[in-house]
Amino acid sequence: MGFKGSKKNTPYAAQMASEECGKVAYDLGLRKVKVFVKGPGSGRESAIRANFQFRYRVTEIIDVTPMPHMAAVLLEKKSLMI
């Protein structure tokens, strides 16, 4: 791909990267996939849509975005109490 600067964070860049990975995977014989998406943004949706143009079957779409558990806020309160 070779996107530089602010162009790396666009949905178009995500779509192009996903298409290239899909082509290579299909040529190697991949026919069923599980899709794991991580992080916020519009690029994740366009990357998933780009994969639907290939003839492999998507069995699952799983969101693995890490969720904060408020540990930093709890530590701040604890240090203020001491």
Side-chain angles (χ1 to χ4, degrees), residues 20-79:
E20 189 162 324
C21 290
K23 287 177 188 175
V24 171
Y26 192 80
D27 291 341
L28 293 174
L30 187 69
R31 298 295 181 258
K32 288 172 32 175
V33 294
K34 284 184 185 179
V35 180
F36 293 93
V37 290
K38 184 176 182 179
S42 58
R44 49 191 260 169
E45 290 184 20
S46 64
I48 294 171
R49 283 194 196 109
N51 281 324
F52 285 127
Q53 74 180 358
F54 300 106
R55 291 182 289 259
Y56 50 73
R57 201 171 85 195
V58 177
T59 57
E60 292 181 68
I61 299 174
I62 301 170
D63 185 15
V64 293
T65 304
M67 298 297 289
H69 60 280
M70 302 298 285
V73 174
L74 294 175
L75 289 175
E76 272 185 30
K77 285 182 182 178
K78 192 174 185 180
S79 66

